[in-house]
Amino acid sequence: SSMLETVRSKFAPSYEVKELSPYVGKAGEHILLAELLLRKFDAALVEVDTGTDILAEKEGRLLRVQVKTRRIGTDEKSSFIVSRKSLSSKTFPDYFIVTLVDFKKWKTESLVFSKDVLFDFVKNGLLRFQKKQDRYYGILIRKGESWFLANLQHDISKYRNAFDAVH
């Protein structure tokens, strides 16, 4: 059984999902931290969030990782945002990882995007720009085991749990 299933069996039955909301983001960071550690990265959570949530080092290469933790809705959809300001920053993280929590199944999965992939999504119009909030908005849709971006226009399943690409 997964770590999330173990936690649920001990703690969550008495909670409504909305009561867990303040904890979901931090849980996603810890889930990814554990994933990186188990892949032999020397990794740690960053104390002050300035756009990087995890610093990880392996074989002399230092990586910055930003984690966005989102719930998968009952409609099999989720979303994420990234500010235009952070995208233009010289310190934008090397990896942008969306960790998705399915409270129906008590499972998690992650979409692992390199900085270049995320920039390509913006360039190709797959993330919607919200001028008023000065940010980009990505709509994620799950169909079976596959993930799509931009209303089923772009299959992004190859990024699902693609931790081997992190280097």
Side-chain angles (χ1 to χ4, degrees), residues 93-166:
D94 304 290
Y95 290 91
F96 185 92
I97 302 176
V98 182
T99 295
L100 298 147
V101 181
D102 186 336
F103 283 105
K104 290 183 294 184
K105 298 176 183 173
W106 286 96
K107 294 189 185 270
T108 63
E109 55 188 311
S110 295
L111 296 169
V112 180
F113 306 125
S114 70
K115 172 173 43 179
D116 293 337
V117 166
L118 198 63
F119 287 166
D120 283 346
F121 288 166
V122 170
K123 185 175 94 178
N124 295 319
L126 297 172
L127 303 182
R128 191 172 50 192
F129 184 65
Q130 296 177 317
K131 189 174 183 176
K132 187 176 181 181
Q133 293 91 357
D134 198 30
R135 66 185 186 185
Y136 292 93
Y137 180 76
I139 299 170
L140 302 167
I141 303 169
R142 180 171 61 180
K143 291 284 184 190
E145 295 296 311
S146 298
W147 280 98
F148 296 87
L149 186 61
N151 294 323
L152 300 176
Q153 295 173 17
H154 192 75
D155 186 346
I156 57 171
S157 301
K158 67 182 179 182
Y159 304 108
R160 182 175 170 254
N161 298 323
F163 291 102
D164 290 338
V166 177

Side-chain angles (χ1 to χ4, degrees), residues 44-100:
L45 294 174
V46 176
E47 291 297 321
V48 178
D49 184 355
T50 59
T52 296
D53 298 311
I54 297 173
L55 288 174
E57 186 272 334
K58 187 174 187 178
E59 298 173 2
R61 177 152 155 67
L62 181 65
L63 301 173
R64 295 181 307 269
V65 178
Q66 184 175 42
V67 182
K68 296 289 185 182
T69 308
R70 299 289 182 257
R71 293 185 300 168
I72 300 171
T74 55
D75 58 357
E76 298 293 301
K77 293 182 181 179
S78 192
S79 63
F80 66 91
I81 59 169
V82 58
S83 75
R84 188 174 60 83
K85 181 180 176 184
S86 69
L87 274 174
S88 61
S89 167
K90 290 180 181 176
T91 60
F92 188 79
D94 304 290
Y95 290 91
F96 185 92
I97 302 176
V98 182
T99 295
L100 298 147

